[in-house]
Amino acid sequence: MIHKCLFPVAGYGTRFLPATKSMPKEMLPIINKPLIEYGVDEALQAGLNDICFITGRGKRALEDYFDINYELEDKIAGTDKEASLNGIRKIIHECTFSYTRQIEKRGLGHAILTGKTLIGKYPFAVVLADDLCINPTGDGVMTQMVALYKQFRCTIIAIEEVPQDQIHKYGVVAGEMMRNDIYRINTMIEKPSLEEAPSNLAIIGRYILTPDIFGILEDIEPDKNGELQLTDALMKQAQNGCVIAYKFKGKRFDCGNVKGFVEATNYCYSNVSAT
Ligand code: G1P
């Protein structure tokens, strides 16, 4: 029912300079697997095999990664190294990949709007690969969200409680509790101060969006920095109809900064086989 998953990957990754000077931040490995592959794995597990990237200048390594490298494969054929490519081979075999470039970087909302040409008129998922989500005891976060979409048939966003001193980094939501892990949203603010924040429930980088989001993104005004905020469009969607926020099961690491990246690496080294 939902097949497409959009990955906005045009960001500069300035928190990881100088490493990201000439390589996409999404290619930085957690153990021996690039961050982006964790996100694509999660999408594929949820049945989303039509993978769409909103890419940009300096991101070609991503396209090469999701393709065959004949020379390398020939070199390691028949050796014990071959098995290390099993995961990525499976992804390449089972998914299709489409790319479009975000020429100007004008916020997450603008990145999603750039994806309109790849998505069309059906509901779709969005994964922000910086947020690495792992559920050691069951279904991945996107699988949980697809199940919820089947029930509610409206936009679903992932949320998590965050400490007060972190609130200003996120979109923050509040709404009517429908179940202990599900809220129907009535308020949403992008990166509020602690005083403005309607709760401590932060949006995490997993969304299922209904396609009316594109028309809303075309209409909303940019914020004071000239960026189109997805959160502002979601707030409109919530006012027009229904947006559900879901406290997912699992762990989330903010790999958009060095501390979170190192925590994810340590966690995966101890708990998850990376290959
Ligand atoms: C984006 C969204 C924000 C969300 C966050 C999750 O912010 O705009 O609402 O809480 O992702 O990671 P960014 O981290 O791109 O500034």
Side-chain angles (χ1 to χ4, degrees), residues 108 128 131 169-171 190-191 202-205 207 229 231 252:
L108 179 59
L128 308 185
D131 281 329
K169 295 183 180 169
Y170 297 93
E190 181 66 12
K191 302 196 173 71
I203 304 173
I204 300 309
Y207 309 78
Q229 291 302 342
T231 303
R252 195 267 316 195

Side-chain angles (χ1 to χ4, degrees), residues 225-245:
N225 301 316
E227 298 199 342
L228 275 191
Q229 291 302 342
L230 179 61
T231 303
D232 295 343
L234 289 168
M235 181 63 201
K236 282 257 152 54
Q237 222 181 20
Q239 285 163 346
N240 295 347
C242 182
V243 172
I244 297 290

Side-chain angles (χ1 to χ4, degrees), residues 107-168:
L108 179 59
H110 181 253
I112 303 292
L113 187 53
T114 306
K116 183 180 176 186
T117 180
L118 298 177
I119 297 296
K121 55 182 187 313
Y122 298 102
F124 62 103
V126 175
V127 169
L128 308 185
D130 278 357
D131 281 329
L132 174 59
C133 293
I134 295 174
N135 182 13
T137 57
D139 286 340
V141 175
M142 197 44 88
T143 304
Q144 298 167 39
M145 292 175 70
V146 167
L148 217 56
Y149 177 79
K150 286 181 183 158
Q151 190 182 340
F152 288 98
R153 306 270 166 171
C154 69
T155 284
I156 315 279
I157 60 182
I159 53 166
E160 149 177 294
E161 288 181 28
V162 296
Q164 289 199 341
D165 63 346
Q166 300 293 308
I167 277 177
H168 65 281

Side-chain angles (χ1 to χ4, degrees), residues 33-48:
K33 212 164 89 169
L35 194 48
I36 189 70
E37 192 177 335
Y38 290 86
V40 174
D41 261 341
E42 188 189 324
L44 183 56
Q45 276 168 26
L48 313 172

Side-chain angles (χ1 to χ4, degrees), residues 171-188:
V172 179
V173 307
E176 167 203 337
M177 192 192 254
M178 300 172 71
R179 206 169 79 182
N180 63 354
D181 54 353
I182 296 178
Y183 297 77
R184 186 177 172 147
I185 297 299
N186 49 38
T187 308
M188 209 179 289

